[in-house]
């Protein structure tokens, strides 16, 4: 069925939502092609797309179809799937409440109990709820840090971990078996919906506080916090206040606003997301700015240094966390001999080097925190080691595997604690990070995001990946030691020797360079863009900066030469 036939099928449905019908009636041919040629695909963050009419858009029919497929998958996993039930939560976005409610109604019509949060909650608390109620699965309605035009749909297994590819493929198979997306039953057994709220909040917060390592540190500094209009507003400031931190929430962004009207961007990776918070921090003479993304699984920070606020990358934040946790646990003699740190193949290698210094093992996963959650689950089930910390470069980390997704509430607590620790030693976090660099080397990372939207963009991404996959490249001043083609599961060294890569197949290519340097090409799993990651190090900040600019220029020159 081509895009015009699919669009006509939607137009022929008499019960079509009025807003979607109006949108459909006013679409141009190009818009119809974009909306109906493809179907939304599960990526690193589940379903995520622009709101609107079409099979390649987020709307109530896509959500109902996905939920029916997920429910049928769960029924095959356990004879008691219905009685164990599914936990559901949502963020602040347009239609998030409706999508969550419809997901619940599809599942109750299949006979499932549903534990539905009474209002918006952070993604990590959804993971916690799955585990708390011993559910068979979970659903989080969110588009994370994407712009206001987006919404999304994450699904979780019985351990509170996002579905890894092997599981997601089974769900996709069930979804693809559904021929009629317009007549999915949603009207049965609504009495099976159990609304949850403060009771779970209190249990979750109490367990989060267990990660505190040094409760008696002086907390004599000021923190400005913003949820960027998202779910962190539910209790992030209160958690910090309850353990003694002086916190001022940013009023204009402490509102449940799906248009994100009080902030320039909802992504804490972007410096303009901090503009209003930093202005308040300067007026209040604060020391630290904390920003969580809309579903509060990721945390960004800015720190006052020499009168100005310095933004930290996700890699720098993780470096501080790893160093502090291992340093403290060694001091307290609580560092496990079989401890593991987990990270991804696009993240900084510096935390890995720190971990190995403390005798910990390090495992590398693909991008997507579900792979780290999978490792935590494996450890719990097999007892092969002890989870100590996990992180990825995109501002996500997990201290305690009490949940199985990245958790900004845990990150907020541990970062404020390590700030207090270094403050007692006379250092701010910029100076503390520099102290780490002086010991291990000046590691620096960066990312280039190349937006390539639509069908033409998708074809361009494939052409670029195929070029790097099939051609030998050369870089001046850098030695290419090896190359990983994760899609083909092949590691090739500079002598041509090939070995198998023990990772799930993914369209990712990584080049290993001399002196622990590297770069990676990876199409985004959640946005229409190609991401290029870089990692360098040197004996000084200036040397690292120069190497990074040189590497970026050479890689982008190759990229731009591909027609």
């Amino acid at each position: 069925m081509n895009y015009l036939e699919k669009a006509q099928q939607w137009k022929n449905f008499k019960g079509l939502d009025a807003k979607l019908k109006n949108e459909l009636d006013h679409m141009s041919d190009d818009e119809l092609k974009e909306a109906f040629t493809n179907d939304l695909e599960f990526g690193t963050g589940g379903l995520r797309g622009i709101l609107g009419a079409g099979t390649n858009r987020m709307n109530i029919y896509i959500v109902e179809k996905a939920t029916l497929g997920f429910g049928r998958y769960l029924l095959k996993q356990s004879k008691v799937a219905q009685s164990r039930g599914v936990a559901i939560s949502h963020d602040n976005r347009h239609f998030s409440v409706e999508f969550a409610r419809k997901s619940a109604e599809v599942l109750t019509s299949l006979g499932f109990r549903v534990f539905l949060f009474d209002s918006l909650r952070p993604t990590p608390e959804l993971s916690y709820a799955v585990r708390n109620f011993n559910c068979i699965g979970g659903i989080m309605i969110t588009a994370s840090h994407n712009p206001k035009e987006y919404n999304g749909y994450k699904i979780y297994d019985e351990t509170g971990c996002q579905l890894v590819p092997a599981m997601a493929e089974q769900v996709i198979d069930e979804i693809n078996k559904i021929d009629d997306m317009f007549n999915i039953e949603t009207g049965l057994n609504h009495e099976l919906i159990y609304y949850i709220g403060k009771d779970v909040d209190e249990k979750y917060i109490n367990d989060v506080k267990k990660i505190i390592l040094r409760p008696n540190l002086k907390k004599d500094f000021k923190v400005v916090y913003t949820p960027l209009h998202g779910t962190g507003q539910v209790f992030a400031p209160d958690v910090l206040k309850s353990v003694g931190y002086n916190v001022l929430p940013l009023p204009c962004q402490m509102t449940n606003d799906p248009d994100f009207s009080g902030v320039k961007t909802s992504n804490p990776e972007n410096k303009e997301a901090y503009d209003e918070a930093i202005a308040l921090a300067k007026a209040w003479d604060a020391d630290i700015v904390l920003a969580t993304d809309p579903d509060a699984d990721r945390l960004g920070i800015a720190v006052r240094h020499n009168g100005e606020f310095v933004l930290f990358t996700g890699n720098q934040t993780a470096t501080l966390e790893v160093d502090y946790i291992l340093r403290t646990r060694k001091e307290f003699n609580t560092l496990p001999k079989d401890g593991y740190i987990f990270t991804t193949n696009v993240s900084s290698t510096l935390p890995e080097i720190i971990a190995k210094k403390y005798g910990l093992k390090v495992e590398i996963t693909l991008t997507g925190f579900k792979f780290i959650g999978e490792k935590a689950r494996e450890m719990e089930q097999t007892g092969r080691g002890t989870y100590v910390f996990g992180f990825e470069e995109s501002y996500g980390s997990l201290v305690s595997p009490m949940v199985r997704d990245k958790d900004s509430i845990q990150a907020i607590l541990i970062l404020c604690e390590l700030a207090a620790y270094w403050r007692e030693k006379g250092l701010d976090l910029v100076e503390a990070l520099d102290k780490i660099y002086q010991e291990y080397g000046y590691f620096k990372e960066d990312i280039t995001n190349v937006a390539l939207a639509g069908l033409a963009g998708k074809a361009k991404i494939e052409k670029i990946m195929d070029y790097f996959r099939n051609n030998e490249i050369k870089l001046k001043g850098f030695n290419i030691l090896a190359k990983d083609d994760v899609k083909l599961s092949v590691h090739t060294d500079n002598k041509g020797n090939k070995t198998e890569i023990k990772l799930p197949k993914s369209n990712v290519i990584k080049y290993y360079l001399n002196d622990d340097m590297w770069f990676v090409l990876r199409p985004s799993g959640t946005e229409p863009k190609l991401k290029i990651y870089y990692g360098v190090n040197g004996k000084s900040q200036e040397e690292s900066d120069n190497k990074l600019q040189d590497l970026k220029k050479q890689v982008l020159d190759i990229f731009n030469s591909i027609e």
Side-chain angles (χ1 to χ4, degrees), residues 341-397:
I341 298 289
F342 296 99
T343 181
T344 73
N345 64 351
V346 299
S347 300
S348 173
T349 56
L350 178 52
E352 177 181 352
I353 293 170
I354 295 171
K356 288 179 177 178
K357 174 199 169 184
Y358 284 91
L360 272 67
K361 294 182 179 179
V362 179
E363 287 195 10
I364 311 297
T365 73
L366 292 177
T367 303
F369 217 87
K370 56 177 169 273
F371 296 111
I372 295 176
E374 180 185 33
K375 294 294 184 181
R377 177 183 62 211
E378 177 189 328
M379 290 194 155
E380 181 182 63
Q381 293 173 346
T382 65
R384 75 171 175 91
T386 301
Y387 180 99
V388 175
F389 186 75
F391 80 97
E392 58 184 7
E393 53 77 36
S394 55
Y395 290 64
S397 68

Side-chain angles (χ1 to χ4, degrees), residues 241-535:
K241 290 176 183 177
S242 72
V243 294
Y245 291 103
N246 189 3
V247 183
L248 179 63
L250 179 60
C252 67
Q253 294 172 13
M254 284 287 290
T255 59
N256 185 355
D257 181 0
D259 289 318
F260 302 101
S261 55
V263 65
K264 297 181 179 67
T265 172
S266 57
N267 188 351
E269 292 185 69
N270 300 332
K271 64 180 182 179
E272 57 268 28
Y274 300 82
D275 287 353
E276 294 81 6
I278 287 176
L280 177 61
K282 288 181 177 179
W284 193 46
D285 196 29
D287 302 279
I288 295 175
V289 171
L290 303 173
T292 54
D293 67 338
D295 67 325
D297 59 354
R298 303 190 307 153
L299 171 69
I301 68 169
V303 176
R304 183 188 291 273
H305 176 69
N306 293 335
E308 296 297 327
F309 278 87
V310 177
L311 271 62
F312 281 54
T313 68
N315 285 314
Q316 291 171 328
T317 303
T319 295
L320 286 166
E321 290 177 284
V322 168
D323 175 80
Y324 174 73
I325 291 169
L326 302 190
R327 175 191 301 267
T328 301
R329 293 190 66 175
K330 182 178 180 181
E331 179 183 333
F332 293 167
N333 200 29
T334 61
L335 194 60
K337 294 181 180 179
D338 62 348
Y340 278 79
I341 298 289
F342 296 99
T343 181
T344 73
N345 64 351
V346 299
S347 300
S348 173
T349 56
L350 178 52
E352 177 181 352
I353 293 170
I354 295 171
K356 288 179 177 178
K357 174 199 169 184
Y358 284 91
L360 272 67
K361 294 182 179 179
V362 179
E363 287 195 10
I364 311 297
T365 73
L366 292 177
T367 303
F369 217 87
K370 56 177 169 273
F371 296 111
I372 295 176
E374 180 185 33
K375 294 294 184 181
R377 177 183 62 211
E378 177 189 328
M379 290 194 155
E380 181 182 63
Q381 293 173 346
T382 65
R384 75 171 175 91
T386 301
Y387 180 99
V388 175
F389 186 75
F391 80 97
E392 58 184 7
E393 53 77 36
S394 55
Y395 290 64
S397 68
L398 180 64
V399 181
S400 167
M402 54 173 263
V403 301
R404 295 293 161 79
D405 209 339
K406 48 189 177 288
D407 188 343
S408 72
I409 311 303
Q410 291 190 42
I412 283 171
L413 272 183
I414 205 70
L415 276 162
C416 284
E417 180 178 330
L418 68 88
Y421 169 83
W422 285 112
R423 186 178 179 87
E424 285 193 356
K425 296 184 177 300
L427 302 177
D428 62 34
L429 291 186
V430 174
E431 294 163 337
L433 185 62
D434 191 67
K435 183 178 177 67
I436 296 170
Y437 287 151
Q438 290 173 25
E439 180 175 355
Y440 296 97
Y442 285 78
F443 286 71
K444 190 164 188 176
E445 299 78 30
D446 202 358
I447 182 172
T448 301
N449 289 299
V450 184
L452 293 164
L455 299 175
K458 186 175 182 180
K460 178 69 172 178
I461 289 172
E462 287 301 316
K463 187 172 185 179
I464 291 166
M465 295 300 292
D466 285 344
Y467 180 89
F468 279 92
R469 178 166 287 116
N470 299 317
N471 292 276
E472 182 179 342
I473 67 166
K474 293 184 178 179
L475 301 170
K476 295 180 181 178
F478 299 92
N479 296 325
I480 298 176
L481 305 180
K483 171 182 171 182
D484 280 351
D485 189 331
V486 185
K487 184 177 182 180
L488 301 180
S489 299
V490 175
H491 173 87
T492 306
D493 67 21
N494 55 4
K495 296 181 180 178
N497 299 313
K498 298 180 183 296
T499 54
E500 183 182 2
I501 298 172
K502 302 293 185 180
L503 289 172
K505 292 182 183 295
S506 181
N507 193 15
V508 176
I509 297 173
K510 180 170 186 174
Y511 289 86
Y512 296 87
L513 312 177
N514 55 293
D515 301 325
D516 290 319
M517 295 185 287
W518 51 274
F519 74 93
V520 174
L521 296 101
R522 183 183 77 87
S524 172
T526 57
E527 300 170 271
K529 61 176 62 171
L530 178 66
K531 296 187 173 187
I532 309 174
Y533 305 80
Y534 318 87

Side-chain angles (χ1 to χ4, degrees), residues 82-111:
Q82 291 158 305
S83 61
R84 288 181 63 183
V86 176
I88 301 177
S89 185
H90 66 84
D91 68 6
N92 63 305
R93 291 177 178 275
H94 288 291
F95 300 105
S96 283
V97 173
E98 292 88 342
F99 291 169
R101 177 70 192 189
K102 279 299 180 183
S103 297
E105 292 175 355
V106 170
L107 289 171
T108 60
S109 296
L110 289 173

